[in-house]
Amino acid sequence: MLVRNDRRAALESAFIKQQEHIKKTEEYIRKYKAGIKSKQARGREKQLNRLERIILPPDVGGFNYFLFNPPEKCAQRVLEIEEIAFGFAEQYLFKDLSMQIRKGDGVALVGPNGAGKTTLLKLVMGELEAAGGRIKIGNRVKIGYFSQHHDELCGTNSVLAEIVDEYGVDDEQARNYLGAFLFRGDDVYKIVNELSGGEKSRLALLKLMMGGANFIILDEPTNHLDIPAREAVENALMSFPGTFMVVSHDRYFLDKVTNCTYELEKGQLTQYNGNYSYYRQKKAEWEAEQIKQPVLEKTAKKIEKPVEKKPKTTAKEKKAIILNEDKRQEELQRCEAQIAMLEVELKALEMQMNDPQIQQQLETSQQIAKEYQAKQLEIDAKYKRWDELMN
C-alpha cells in the first residue's frame, strides 16, 4: 500500500506541474497570438498540441477496469475532423469544423440545445454524411456508441442473461461485472423491459465496455441516474483505459471525467484544454476582454503619444541578430526533440508503475517510482529552458 501511495503521489505531482505548464502556455498564447510575438505563440500552441498529457487514475476502491479485458491498443490520433460541414437545403447547421482527439483523452462536447452536438456524433459514427470536409478514424480504433434510447438491450432477457448470453462468461464473472454497476443480489434476475431508465443506462454502459471498444462516444449518459448510479458511471469512465467523447449537461459529471472541452456554438467549434470548470473560466475571461477591448481602443486614441525614432541598425548589428536568432531556433528545436523523447520515457515508466506484476515486486516498484520522479525533474528543467528560448 505504501508503494502504491508513493506512485500515486509521484503521478499527482507530475500532473500538477504539467497543468501549471499548460496554464502558463495557454495564457502566453492568448496574450500574444495576435500581437508582435504571434510567431512564438503559434510555436507554443503546436508544442502544447503535441504534449503527452498525464491522466490521473481514480482513487483505489472504485470501479476496476481490470475486471474487463483491456481494449485493443490503437493509434495516438484516435479521431481527426477537418473542416466538415453539415446542413439541409443550403442552410448549414455548421461548417469548417475541425477537431482532433488523442489516445487517452476524455473529451466533453458542450453547447446550447440545437447547436448540432448529437449531429456531430452521428457524423463521426457514420450515421450521417457530411456535406464537406473529412473525418478520419485512427488505425485499430473500435468505436462504441452509447445512445439515450438503449436499442442494444434485449427487452425480454434478464439482466444476468444479457451479459452471460452475449459475452460467454459464467454466472460468477457476470455477477462481478454487474456488481460494479450496482446490480447486486436478486437485481440480476430483473427483466430488461422492467428496468428503470437509470438501470438501463448502467447496463448499456457495461455492455459497451465489455464489447472491446477503445473509443466510446456517449450521448447524455447520466440522464435518469440517481447519485450512486452516476458515481458508478463516473468511476467506470475514469478507470476506462481507452478514449471517450461525451455530450452531457451535467457539469459536475464533466468536471470529474474529462480533460478537454469542445464548445459547439453558432456553427463554430472552440477547444479548451481542460474540464468544464476550466472551460467556463476561460470563456468568462474571453467575454470580459471582449467588453473591455472597445473601451481600451477608445482610450488609446485619446492618449496617442508621438512615435520615437529609433536609431538605424548597422549591417554588422543585423548580421549578429540573424546569427543569434538562428542559434536560438536551433537550440529550440533540439530542446523540443529532447522533451518529446523524455515524455516517451516518462510514459514508459508510468506503464511499468501500473503493471500488476511489477506492483507485486517491492524493490522494483520503489526503483521505478524514483526513476519516474527523476525523469519528471529532467522534463521540468527542459521546459524551463524552452520557456526561456520562446521569450
Side-chain angles (χ1 to χ4, degrees):
M1 180 65 74
L2 183 60
V3 175
R4 186 184 301 152
N5 290 339
D6 287 345
R7 285 198 304 269
R8 183 169 180 89
L11 195 60
E12 286 177 348
S13 175
F15 175 79
I16 291 168
K17 288 178 181 177
Q18 188 183 71
Q19 290 301 306
E20 289 173 353
H21 168 73
I22 290 170
K23 183 179 180 181
K24 182 179 177 183
T25 305
E26 285 177 341
E27 287 174 354
Y28 184 95
I29 293 167
R30 178 174 55 82
K31 187 175 181 180
Y32 295 115
K33 196 167 186 179
I36 195 168
K37 294 185 178 180
S38 60
K39 185 176 180 181
Q40 291 94 322
R42 288 195 299 271
R44 290 197 180 199
E45 190 170 30
K46 289 178 182 177
Q47 177 72 14
L48 195 61
N49 289 336
R50 293 196 299 267
L51 181 66
E52 186 77 29
R53 293 174 186 269
I54 297 169
I55 309 295
L56 283 180
D59 292 331
V60 295
F63 177 84
N64 181 1
Y65 72 75
F66 287 115
L67 286 171
F68 308 125
N69 295 320
E72 182 183 357
K73 292 182 179 180
C74 64
Q76 283 293 324
R77 293 182 179 181
V78 173
L79 172 67
E80 292 179 273
I81 296 176
E82 297 177 359
E83 298 182 345
I84 63 164
F86 184 83
F88 302 97
E90 298 184 357
Q91 291 292 321
Y92 284 103
L93 181 60
F94 48 71
K95 62 191 303 186
D96 299 327
L97 294 193
S98 295
M99 168 191 280
Q100 183 180 110
I101 296 179
R102 299 167 65 196
K103 183 180 177 182
D105 277 346
V107 176
L109 180 60
V110 301
N113 291 333
K117 301 186 296 294
T118 299
T119 299
L120 182 57
L121 296 187
K122 289 183 177 180
L123 287 167
V124 174
M125 291 292 299
E127 295 179 9
L128 294 174
E129 186 174 345
R134 185 174 77 106
I135 297 176
K136 182 182 177 183
I137 307 297
N139 292 331
R140 301 184 301 280
V141 171
K142 182 179 178 182
I143 298 178
Y145 182 53
F146 179 96
S147 71
Q148 299 182 46
H149 306 296
H150 311 312
D151 298 328
E152 67 278 15
L153 301 178
C154 178
T156 57
N157 272 347
S158 69
V159 172
L160 185 64
E162 190 75 4
I163 301 302
V164 172
D165 293 351
E166 187 156 343
Y167 301 104
V169 296
D170 59 36
D171 284 12
E172 184 180 356
Q173 286 177 306
R175 279 180 173 275
N176 286 334
Y177 299 157
L178 288 163
F181 282 78
L182 307 183
F183 291 102
R184 301 187 177 108
D186 290 341
D187 289 345
V188 301
Y189 299 117
K190 288 182 178 179
I191 303 302
V192 171
N193 274 341
E194 297 172 2
L195 297 177
S196 67
E199 288 172 327
K200 286 180 180 178
S201 292
R202 282 186 272 139
L203 184 58
L205 185 57
L206 170 59
K207 290 188 66 177
L208 190 60
M209 289 192 164
M210 290 186 69
N214 50 23
F215 178 33
I216 294 178
I217 297 175
L218 308 103
D219 193 0
E220 299 291 356
T222 59
N223 274 7
H224 315 297
L225 296 186
D226 56 19
I227 292 175
R230 188 179 69 188
E231 289 176 349
V233 173
E234 288 171 357
N235 288 335
L237 284 177
M238 287 191 293
S239 300
F240 180 57
T243 307
F244 64 87
M245 176 166 61
V246 56
V247 169
S248 177
H249 290 89
D250 186 341
R251 62 170 297 174
Y252 302 103
F253 168 74
L254 294 178
D255 267 346
K256 289 193 72 172
V257 304
T258 63
N259 67 343
C260 179
T261 303
Y262 279 91
E263 181 192 45
L264 182 56
E265 185 177 25
K266 296 178 182 178
Q268 301 293 317
L269 194 62
T270 307
Q271 181 182 2
Y272 298 84
N273 292 312
N275 63 12
Y276 188 87
S277 290
Y278 176 87
Y279 144 70
R280 290 302 309 165
Q281 175 193 338
K282 289 298 177 183
K283 187 171 182 183
E285 289 175 1
W286 180 83
E287 288 172 345
E289 281 192 7
Q290 295 301 107
I291 293 170
K292 284 195 301 184
Q293 194 63 33
V295 177
L296 291 173
E297 288 176 359
K298 191 174 179 180
T299 305
K301 287 179 182 178
K302 291 180 180 178
I303 317 174
E304 285 185 354
K305 293 182 179 180
V307 179
E308 294 181 6
K309 291 184 178 181
K310 295 182 180 179
K312 291 183 178 180
T313 307
T314 66
K316 188 176 181 181
E317 288 172 334
K318 285 181 180 178
K319 188 177 180 180
I321 290 169
I322 292 169
L323 286 173
N324 287 335
E325 177 61 20
D326 288 344
K327 286 180 181 179
R328 190 186 70 84
Q329 287 293 337
E330 183 181 341
E331 187 178 352
L332 184 64
Q333 290 174 5
R334 186 166 61 249
C335 190
E336 288 179 351
Q338 289 169 342
I339 288 172
M341 181 59 67
L342 287 168
E343 286 179 339
V344 169
E345 293 170 1
L346 188 74
K347 193 70 175 177
L349 288 170
E350 183 183 330
M351 291 175 68
Q352 290 181 54
M353 288 166 67
N354 292 319
D355 188 326
Q357 293 182 348
I358 291 178
Q359 288 174 2
Q360 302 301 318
Q361 303 170 31
L362 182 61
E363 290 185 6
T364 305
S365 293
Q366 290 176 331
Q367 181 60 34
I368 292 172
K370 288 179 182 177
E371 290 177 12
Y372 187 95
Q373 289 177 319
K375 192 67 66 178
Q376 185 60 51
L377 290 173
E378 194 175 352
I379 290 175
D380 289 344
K382 290 295 179 184
Y383 270 126
K384 185 178 180 181
R385 179 56 183 156
W386 183 80
D387 281 333
E388 291 170 355
L389 291 167
M390 289 297 290
N391 287 325

